[in-house]
Amino acid sequence: MGFRLSHLSLVVSLVALALAGVAIYRNTYEAIIMNNGSPDFDFLETGAVSILTLNNEKINSDKDNLSQQLTQESCVFSAVKGVVDSAIDNETRVGASLIRLHFHDCFVDGCDGGILLDDINGTFTGEQTSPPNNNSVRGFEVIAQAKQSVIDTCPNISVSCADILAIAARDSLAKLGGQTYTVALGRSDGTAANFTGALTQLPAPSDNLTVQIQKFSDKNFTVREMVALAGAHTVGFARCATVCVSTNVNPAAQLQCNCSATLTDSDLQQLDTTPAVFDKDYYDNLNNNQGIMFSDQVLTGNTTTADFVTTYSNNVSVFLEDFAAAMIKMGNLPTSAGAQLEIRDVCSRVNPTSVASM
């Protein structure tokens, strides 16, 4: 499984050991007084030194373990960042795609890498072909490359695909101009996916405000956090197949729909005026009634949500801070109770020993 830094456990262990040393010292002192009438200070001093030596050895050992864990984490973060930065340099759009991929993973039954599992004809249906994801979510090849990079450059370190998704989203945000944040490792990968859950749990472009608030509340997000996370639409594009459905778009934006009959990705609609930069333009557009998606523009239709839109439009620093905090919270969404978990060797399929349980 993945590893976590356990600073609190370290402190508790050292305090407990110190208290134990004090207790031994006191008991020894009392025993000598009872037997001899006076303490043997040479003996007590030797005992105290021994206890301090043990404490120092424990501290040094814990420091070594902590240093090793930090080195391992640094290796993982560096390996993933290198792949993500290179991918975004090659195609800026993929940065937004990786943020969205992480969101679509965590919002369905927690951060378990379920969205990464490929369908197996006649055997397994995953989340990728569910309507909100089908021919829409992307960036899978970047996650696969990042996983391989960790395997190649960080030997003897086992990191889940869900962790790699979380790191990739954070690094994409930073690369596009957003505020970075700390990603804690230790997630596990699921051995199953939820086709129906992707359809019912994920926010949709046609969702009204009441539906959106309920979906986010179901995941324990506040309305403010919901409005902040909606700001992910300050980067990236919508597909032709989305913007050519009238119920999905804001009619005031007066989009020109040039979709082909097959509704392919040949035409893309940028989601705000600066789709390659993580900024506050998304909220500026909403305040001007120029949000692209119906679900975006309705954020201005309620006093509470409209106030948050205005706050973020007026102060980009507040938006970036709130978005980073909401991403941390989203990245910690727990997996479903009773889910079978593992650390996948390959992100697109469960480990061979798990196949029978699917």
Side-chain angles (χ1 to χ4, degrees), residues 79-80 83-84 87 98 101 116 118 138-152 160-161 164-165 168 344-349:
V80 175
V83 171
V84 170
L98 291 170
L101 190 61
L116 302 175
D118 290 341
R138 56 197 301 272
F140 298 104
E141 71 288 347
V142 179
I143 301 303
Q145 291 166 11
K147 173 73 172 180
Q148 190 59 51
S149 179
V150 170
I151 292 172
D152 292 342
S160 70
C161 297
I164 290 174
L165 260 178
R344 281 189 223 132
D345 299 327
V346 177
C347 292
S348 60
R349 63 176 185 266

Side-chain angles (χ1 to χ4, degrees), residues 263-312:
L263 299 179
T264 67
D265 274 340
S266 58
D267 297 298
L268 296 170
Q269 171 64 47
Q270 61 191 53
L271 289 172
D272 80 354
T273 48
T274 54
V277 181
F278 206 92
D279 54 23
K280 68 180 183 68
D281 283 10
Y282 165 81
Y283 298 103
D284 295 341
N285 292 348
L286 294 187
N287 278 331
N288 292 324
N289 197 25
Q290 290 299 299
I292 301 302
M293 297 291 102
F294 171 81
S295 58
D296 291 330
Q297 194 58 56
V298 295
L299 295 178
T300 61
N302 169 285
T303 301
T304 301
T305 54
D307 284 348
F308 294 137
V309 169
T310 299
T311 295
Y312 295 148

Side-chain angles (χ1 to χ4, degrees), residues 3-326:
F3 46 83
R4 287 184 183 275
L5 296 180
S6 303
H7 300 291
L8 181 59
S9 297
L10 174 59
V11 172
V12 172
S13 297
L14 294 179
V15 170
L17 187 58
L19 291 175
V22 171
I24 294 172
Y25 185 91
R26 181 177 179 180
N27 291 340
T28 303
Y29 180 90
E30 291 175 349
I32 293 174
I33 289 292
M34 292 178 64
N35 292 332
N36 302 324
S38 63
D40 183 339
F41 286 102
D42 290 337
F43 175 80
L44 289 175
E45 182 178 339
T46 301
V49 170
S50 298
I51 292 169
L52 290 175
T53 300
L54 288 173
N55 283 344
N56 287 333
E57 289 176 352
K58 173 64 175 174
I59 291 171
N60 290 334
S61 176
D62 286 336
K63 283 183 178 179
D64 289 342
N65 290 336
L66 179 60
S67 177
Q68 182 180 10
Q69 288 178 332
L70 288 171
T71 300
Q72 290 175 333
E73 286 201 347
S74 178
C75 180
V76 172
F77 290 139
S78 178
V80 175
K81 186 177 187 299
V83 171
V84 170
D85 284 352
S86 178
I88 296 175
D89 286 340
N90 185 58
E91 183 204 19
T92 305
R93 181 189 171 204
V94 80
S97 298
L98 291 170
I99 295 171
R100 183 168 180 255
L101 190 61
H102 178 47
F103 180 93
H104 278 225
D105 177 44
C106 292
F107 224 73
V108 180
D109 299 337
C111 304
D112 62 355
I115 197 170
L116 302 175
L117 291 172
D118 290 341
D119 286 5
I120 301 174
N121 189 30
T123 304
F124 174 75
T125 301
E127 296 169 16
Q128 294 178 24
T129 52
S130 187
N133 298 325
N134 194 31
N135 297 318
S136 175
V137 288
R138 56 197 301 272
F140 298 104
E141 71 288 347
V142 179
I143 301 303
Q145 291 166 11
K147 173 73 172 180
Q148 190 59 51
S149 179
V150 170
I151 292 172
D152 292 342
T153 60
C154 309
N156 304 318
I157 301 176
S158 182
V159 180
S160 70
C161 297
D163 273 346
I164 290 174
L165 260 178
I167 300 168
R170 187 272 310 273
D171 291 346
S172 294
L173 175 66
K175 180 79 169 173
L176 297 177
Q179 178 175 303
T180 191
Y181 53 89
T182 299
V183 173
L185 303 182
R187 298 166 190 80
S188 296
D189 299 318
T191 59
N194 192 343
F195 179 97
T196 302
L199 181 60
T200 59
Q201 297 177 39
L202 288 168
S206 60
D207 283 349
N208 62 36
L209 191 57
T210 300
V211 172
Q212 291 186 69
I213 290 173
Q214 185 60 58
K215 286 183 176 180
F216 278 85
S217 177
D218 289 343
K219 305 298 178 182
N220 200 32
F221 285 107
T222 65
V223 173
R224 181 175 185 133
E225 290 167 336
M226 179 191 78
V227 177
L229 286 173
H233 283 177
T234 194
V235 288
F237 296 80
R239 295 181 309 129
C240 179
T242 299
V243 299
C244 289
V245 177
S246 60
T247 55
N248 290 343
V249 297
N250 170 23
Q254 297 182 336
L255 302 181
Q256 297 298 316
C257 181
N258 298 313
C259 294
S260 66
T262 55
L263 299 179
T264 67
D265 274 340
S266 58
D267 297 298
L268 296 170
Q269 171 64 47
Q270 61 191 53
L271 289 172
D272 80 354
T273 48
T274 54
V277 181
F278 206 92
D279 54 23
K280 68 180 183 68
D281 283 10
Y282 165 81
Y283 298 103
D284 295 341
N285 292 348
L286 294 187
N287 278 331
N288 292 324
N289 197 25
Q290 290 299 299
I292 301 302
M293 297 291 102
F294 171 81
S295 58
D296 291 330
Q297 194 58 56
V298 295
L299 295 178
T300 61
N302 169 285
T303 301
T304 301
T305 54
D307 284 348
F308 294 137
V309 169
T310 299
T311 295
Y312 295 148
S313 178
N314 290 340
N315 194 326
V316 66
S317 295
V318 174
F319 162 53
L320 296 180
E321 290 173 4
D322 280 6
F323 186 84

